[in-house]
Amino acid sequence: MSKLLFYYLFIVIICFGCNDSPVNSQESTTTGDSNQSFISIDFGNKTNSSVEIILNTSENVSGFQFTISGATVTSFEGGLADDYGFSIANNSNTGIVIGYSLSGEFIPAGSNDILTTLLFTNPNSELCLSNVILSSPNAESLNIDLIGDCIEY
């Protein structure tokens, strides 16, 4: 009997498989399938003292955190974070920037625009975005498909 159960489970696992295999973010696509999730964060336009952070999300975003290296962030302005009443804070020593809403607001799914514009001093030759965390309204971490490359100054 146990052999039969073993074979049955083996066949079920082989036939139906497991869909938890790793996904290569470089192969992510957005083909219009409404069931697909795609989230990216990247640099936008830049000047000698500012750079846009661009967010493209198919999920509601209620908070964000990332690290900027290569410059000292002094302040931030505008964008989706401002539009939806987010508070933004940063630590100029570590480069960590966080955004959150104390009123329960969130950046809605389907948004593809400037998250915020960072103002900075002391740019090095390269500005990088790392350690990105986005959270849902349920305080769950969202999977990020694409984090943009460093940009040169």
Side-chain angles (χ1 to χ4, degrees):
M1 181 67 174
S2 65
K3 266 188 166 181
L4 185 59
L5 180 61
F6 172 77
Y7 288 125
Y8 175 76
L9 289 174
F10 179 77
I11 291 170
V12 167
I13 290 171
I14 295 298
C15 290
F16 296 106
C18 176
N19 198 15
D20 289 337
S21 60
V23 176
N24 182 348
S25 65
Q26 300 301 325
E27 296 176 5
S28 296
T29 60
T30 53
T31 59
D33 182 356
S34 62
N35 293 328
Q36 283 189 337
S37 173
F38 183 82
I39 301 174
S40 68
I41 189 165
D42 201 355
F43 291 112
N45 293 327
K46 65 178 180 173
T47 69
N48 289 334
S49 61
S50 70
V51 65
E52 296 170 342
I53 304 295
I54 307 296
L55 176 68
N56 179 2
T57 180
S58 61
E59 304 287 335
N60 293 333
V61 175
S62 63
F64 59 86
Q65 177 179 324
F66 53 82
T67 302
I68 295 291
S69 58
T72 303
V73 176
T74 57
S75 63
F76 9 82
E77 61 186 28
L80 293 167
D82 189 50
D83 293 348
Y84 292 98
F86 277 49
S87 297
I88 303 178
N90 77 300
N91 181 320
S92 58
N93 294 326
T94 62
I96 295 174
V97 176
I98 61 170
Y100 55 92
S101 171
L102 293 175
S103 64
E105 293 293 323
F106 56 85
I107 297 168
S111 296
N112 183 10
D113 205 349
I114 300 167
L115 175 62
T116 191
T117 299
L118 301 177
L119 306 175
F120 57 83
T121 59
N122 307 322
N124 292 333
S125 61
E126 189 174 70
L127 195 63
C128 297
L129 179 66
S130 61
N131 303 320
V132 179
I133 301 169
L134 300 176
S135 64
S136 75
N138 295 326
E140 298 169 333
S141 180
L142 297 171
N143 291 329
I144 303 167
D145 298 289
L146 176 69
I147 299 172
D149 292 330
C150 297
I151 56 175
E152 293 183 14
Y153 270 86

